[in-house]
Coordinates of all heavy atoms in Angstrom, one line a residue:
A1 N 7.0 42.7 41.7 CA 8.4 42.7 41.2 C 8.5 41.2 40.6 O 9.3 41.1 39.5 CB 9.4 42.8 42.2
Q2 N 8.1 40.1 41.1 CA 8.2 38.8 40.7 C 7.5 38.6 39.4 O 8.1 38.0 38.4 CB 7.7 37.7 41.7 CG 7.9 36.3 41.2 CD 7.5 35.3 42.2 OE1 6.4 35.2 42.6 NE2 8.6 34.7 42.8
R3 N 6.3 39.3 39.3 CA 5.6 39.2 37.9 C 6.3 40.0 36.9 O 6.4 39.5 35.7 CB 4.1 39.8 38.0 CG 3.4 39.8 36.8 CD 2.0 40.3 37.0 NE 2.0 41.7 37.1 CZ 1.2 42.4 37.8 NH1 0.2 41.9 38.4 NH2 1.3 43.8 37.9
Q4 N 7.0 41.0 37.2 CA 7.8 41.8 36.3 C 8.9 41.0 35.8 O 9.2 40.8 34.6 CB 8.2 43.1 36.9 CG 9.1 44.0 36.0 CD 9.6 45.3 36.7 OE1 9.2 45.5 37.8 NE2 10.4 45.9 36.0
R5 N 9.6 40.3 36.7 CA 10.8 39.5 36.2 C 10.4 38.3 35.5 O 11.1 37.9 34.5 CB 11.5 39.0 37.5 CG 12.3 40.1 38.3 CD 13.1 39.5 39.4 NE 12.4 38.8 40.3 CZ 12.8 37.6 40.9 NH1 14.0 37.1 40.7 NH2 12.0 37.0 41.8
I6 N 9.2 37.7 35.8 CA 8.7 36.6 35.0 C 8.4 36.9 33.7 O 8.5 36.2 32.7 CB 7.7 35.7 35.8 CG1 7.8 34.2 35.4 CG2 6.4 36.2 35.6 CD1 8.9 33.4 35.9
E7 N 7.8 38.1 33.5 CA 7.4 38.5 32.2 C 8.6 38.8 31.3 O 8.6 38.6 30.2 CB 6.4 39.8 32.2 CG 5.0 39.3 32.7 CD 4.2 40.6 33.0 OE1 4.5 41.7 32.8 OE2 3.0 40.4 33.2
L8 N 9.6 39.5 31.9 CA 10.8 39.6 31.1 C 11.5 38.4 30.8 O 12.1 38.3 29.7 CB 11.8 40.5 32.0 CG 11.4 42.0 32.2 CD1 12.2 42.7 33.3 CD2 11.4 42.9 31.0
A9 N 11.5 37.4 31.7 CA 12.1 36.1 31.3 C 11.3 35.5 30.2 O 11.9 34.8 29.4 CB 12.1 35.2 32.6
A10 N 10.0 35.6 30.3 CA 9.2 34.9 29.2 C 9.5 35.6 27.8 O 9.7 34.8 26.8 CB 7.7 35.1 29.5
A11 N 9.7 36.8 27.8 CA 10.1 37.6 26.6 C 11.6 37.0 26.1 O 11.8 36.8 25.0 CB 10.1 39.1 26.8
A12 N 12.4 36.8 27.1 CA 13.8 36.4 26.7 C 13.7 34.9 26.3 O 14.5 34.5 25.3 CB 14.6 36.4 28.0
L13 N 12.8 34.0 26.8 CA 12.7 32.7 26.2 C 12.4 32.7 24.9 O 13.0 31.8 24.0 CB 11.6 31.9 27.0 CG 11.9 31.5 28.5 CD1 10.7 31.0 29.2 CD2 13.1 30.5 28.5
R14 N 11.5 33.5 24.4 CA 11.1 33.5 22.9 C 12.2 34.1 22.1 O 12.5 33.9 20.9 CB 9.8 34.1 22.8 CG 8.7 33.1 23.3 CD 7.5 33.3 22.6 NE 6.5 32.2 22.9 CZ 5.2 32.4 23.1 NH1 4.7 33.7 22.9 NH2 4.4 31.4 23.4
A15 N 12.8 35.3 22.5 CA 13.7 36.1 21.8 C 15.0 35.4 21.7 O 15.8 35.8 20.7 CB 13.8 37.5 22.5
Q16 N 15.4 34.6 22.7 CA 16.8 33.9 22.7 C 16.6 32.4 22.8 O 16.9 31.8 23.8 CB 17.6 34.5 23.8 CG 17.7 35.9 23.9 CD 18.2 36.4 25.2 OE1 18.4 35.7 26.2 NE2 18.5 37.7 25.3
P17 N 16.1 31.8 21.7 CA 15.9 30.4 21.7 C 17.1 29.5 22.0 O 17.1 28.3 22.4 CB 15.2 30.0 20.4 CG 15.6 31.2 19.5 CD 15.7 32.4 20.4
Q18 N 18.3 30.1 21.6 CA 19.5 29.3 21.8 C 20.0 29.3 23.3 O 20.8 28.6 23.7 CB 20.6 29.9 20.9 CG 21.2 31.2 21.4 CD 20.3 32.5 21.3 OE1 19.2 32.4 20.7 NE2 20.7 33.7 21.7
C19 N 19.4 30.3 24.0 CA 19.7 30.3 25.5 C 19.0 29.3 26.3 O 17.8 29.1 26.2 CB 19.4 31.8 25.9 SG 20.4 32.2 27.5
S20 N 19.7 28.6 27.2 CA 19.0 27.6 28.0 C 18.1 28.2 29.0 O 18.3 29.2 29.4 CB 20.1 26.6 28.7 OG 20.7 27.5 29.9
I21 N 17.2 27.5 29.3 CA 16.2 27.9 30.3 C 16.8 28.2 31.7 O 16.4 29.3 32.3 CB 14.9 26.8 30.5 CG1 14.2 26.8 29.2 CG2 14.2 27.2 31.7 CD1 13.1 25.7 29.2
T22 N 17.8 27.4 32.0 CA 18.5 27.6 33.3 C 19.2 29.2 33.2 O 19.2 29.8 34.2 CB 19.6 26.6 33.6 OG1 18.9 25.4 33.7 CG2 20.3 26.8 34.8
R23 N 19.8 29.3 32.1 CA 20.5 30.6 32.0 C 19.6 31.7 32.0 O 19.8 32.8 32.7 CB 21.3 30.7 30.6 CG 22.0 31.9 30.4 CD 23.0 31.9 29.3 NE 24.2 31.8 29.7 CZ 25.2 31.1 29.1 NH1 25.1 30.6 28.0 NH2 26.4 31.0 29.7
V24 N 18.4 31.7 31.3 CA 17.3 32.7 31.4 C 16.9 32.9 32.9 O 16.7 33.9 33.3 CB 16.2 32.3 30.4 CG1 14.9 33.2 30.7 CG2 16.6 32.3 29.0
A25 N 16.7 31.7 33.5 CA 16.3 31.8 34.9 C 17.2 32.6 35.7 O 16.8 33.5 36.6 CB 16.0 30.4 35.5
H26 N 18.5 32.2 35.7 CA 19.5 32.9 36.4 C 19.7 34.4 36.0 O 19.9 35.3 36.9 CB 20.9 32.2 36.4 CG 20.9 30.9 37.0 ND1 21.7 29.9 36.7 CD2 20.1 30.3 37.9 CE1 21.5 28.8 37.5 NE2 20.5 29.1 38.2
A27 N 19.5 34.7 34.7 CA 19.7 36.0 34.3 C 18.5 36.9 34.8 O 18.7 38.1 34.9 CB 19.7 36.0 32.8
H28 N 17.5 36.3 35.1 CA 16.4 37.1 35.6 C 16.1 37.0 37.2 O 15.0 37.3 37.7 CB 15.0 36.8 34.8 CG 15.1 37.3 33.6 ND1 15.8 36.6 32.5 CD2 14.8 38.6 32.9 CE1 15.7 37.3 31.4 NE2 15.2 38.5 31.6
G29 N 17.1 36.5 37.9 CA 17.1 36.6 39.4 C 16.6 35.4 40.0 O 16.2 35.5 41.2
F30 N 16.4 34.3 39.4 CA 16.0 33.1 40.0 C 17.0 32.1 40.3 O 18.0 32.0 39.6 CB 14.9 32.4 39.0 CG 13.7 33.1 38.9 CD1 13.5 34.0 37.9 CD2 12.5 32.9 39.7 CE1 12.4 34.8 37.7 CE2 11.3 33.7 39.5 CZ 11.2 34.6 38.5
S31 N 17.1 31.7 41.6 CA 18.2 30.9 42.0 C 18.3 29.5 41.4 O 19.4 28.9 41.3 CB 18.1 30.9 43.6 OG 17.0 30.2 43.9
S32 N 17.2 28.9 41.0 CA 17.3 27.6 40.3 C 16.2 27.6 39.2 O 15.3 28.3 39.1 CB 16.8 26.5 41.4 OG 15.5 26.6 41.7
S33 N 16.6 26.7 38.2 CA 15.6 26.6 37.2 C 14.3 25.9 37.5 O 13.3 26.1 37.0 CB 16.2 25.7 36.0 OG 16.6 24.5 36.5
Q34 N 14.4 25.1 38.7 CA 13.2 24.4 39.2 C 12.2 25.4 39.9 O 11.0 25.3 39.6 CB 13.5 23.3 40.3 CG 14.3 22.3 39.8 CD 15.8 22.4 39.5 OE1 16.3 23.4 40.0 NE2 16.5 21.5 38.9
Y35 N 12.8 26.3 40.6 CA 11.9 27.4 41.2 C 11.3 28.3 40.1 O 10.2 28.7 40.1 CB 12.6 28.2 42.2 CG 11.8 29.4 42.8 CD1 10.7 29.0 43.5 CD2 12.2 30.7 42.6 CE1 9.9 30.0 44.1 CE2 11.4 31.7 43.2 CZ 10.4 31.3 43.9 OH 9.4 32.3 44.4
F36 N 12.1 28.7 39.0 CA 11.7 29.4 37.9 C 10.6 28.8 37.3 O 9.5 29.5 37.0 CB 12.9 29.6 37.0 CG 12.5 30.3 35.7 CD1 12.1 31.6 35.7 CD2 12.6 29.5 34.5 CE1 11.8 32.3 34.4 CE2 12.3 30.1 33.3 CZ 11.8 31.4 33.2
A37 N 10.7 27.4 37.0 CA 9.7 26.7 36.4 C 8.3 26.7 37.1 O 7.3 26.9 36.6 CB 10.0 25.2 36.0
T38 N 8.3 26.6 38.5 CA 7.3 26.7 39.3 C 6.5 28.0 39.2 O 5.3 28.0 39.1 CB 7.6 26.3 40.8 OG1 8.2 25.0 40.8 CG2 6.5 26.4 41.7
V39 N 7.4 29.0 39.3 CA 6.7 30.4 39.2 C 6.2 30.6 37.9 O 5.2 31.2 37.7 CB 7.8 31.5 39.6 CG1 7.3 32.8 39.4 CG2 8.2 31.3 41.1
F40 N 7.1 30.2 36.8 CA 6.5 30.4 35.4 C 5.1 29.8 35.2 O 4.4 30.4 34.7 CB 7.6 29.8 34.5 CG 7.4 30.4 33.1 CD1 8.1 31.5 32.7 CD2 6.6 29.7 32.2 CE1 8.0 31.9 31.4 CE2 6.5 30.1 30.9 CZ 7.2 31.3 30.5
R41 N 5.0 28.5 35.6 CA 3.8 27.7 35.5 C 2.6 28.4 36.2 O 1.5 28.5 35.7 CB 4.0 26.3 36.0 CG 2.7 25.5 35.5 CD 2.9 24.0 36.0 NE 4.2 23.4 35.5 CZ 4.2 22.8 34.3 NH1 3.2 22.7 33.5 NH2 5.3 22.3 34.0
R42 N 3.0 29.1 37.3 CA 1.8 29.8 38.2 C 1.3 30.9 37.3 O 0.2 31.3 37.4 CB 2.4 30.3 39.4 CG 1.4 30.9 40.5 CD 1.9 31.3 41.7 NE 2.9 30.5 42.3 CZ 4.1 30.9 42.9 NH1 4.3 32.1 42.9 NH2 4.9 30.0 43.4
Y43 N 2.2 31.7 36.7 CA 1.8 32.8 35.9 C 1.2 32.6 34.4 O 0.4 33.3 34.1 CB 3.0 33.9 35.8 CG 3.1 34.6 37.1 CD1 4.1 34.3 38.0 CD2 2.5 35.8 37.4 CE1 4.3 34.9 39.2 CE2 2.7 36.5 38.5 CZ 3.6 36.1 39.5 OH 3.8 36.7 40.7
F44 N 1.9 31.5 33.9 CA 1.5 31.3 32.4 C 0.8 30.0 32.2 O 0.2 29.9 31.1 CB 2.8 31.4 31.5 CG 3.4 32.7 31.4 CD1 4.3 33.2 32.3 CD2 2.9 33.6 30.4 CE1 5.0 34.4 32.1 CE2 3.4 34.9 30.4 CZ 4.5 35.3 31.1

């Protein structure tokens, strides 16, 4: 489920460049942008 959410978030990062990384993180169920960045770096 986490991999699925991070892949959807990655697609949103590229599709919505005007949207902040924090907003993308929260929109995909991550409680903080720091945790999102940690998980994102692990996968990508």
Side-chain angles (χ1 to χ4, degrees):
Q2 186 173 66
R3 183 177 70 209
Q4 180 182 352
R5 287 187 306 136
I6 206 75
E7 287 177 357
L8 291 171
L13 283 172
R14 290 215 172 133
Q16 303 167 353
Q18 74 287 358
C19 196
S20 73
I21 291 172
T22 299
R23 177 173 260 149
V24 170
H26 291 159
H28 290 86
F30 292 90
S31 58
S32 73
S33 58
Q34 293 81 10
Y35 178 62
F36 172 70
T38 299
V39 174
F40 195 94
R41 189 178 303 275
R42 187 180 322 137
Y43 283 95
F44 290 96

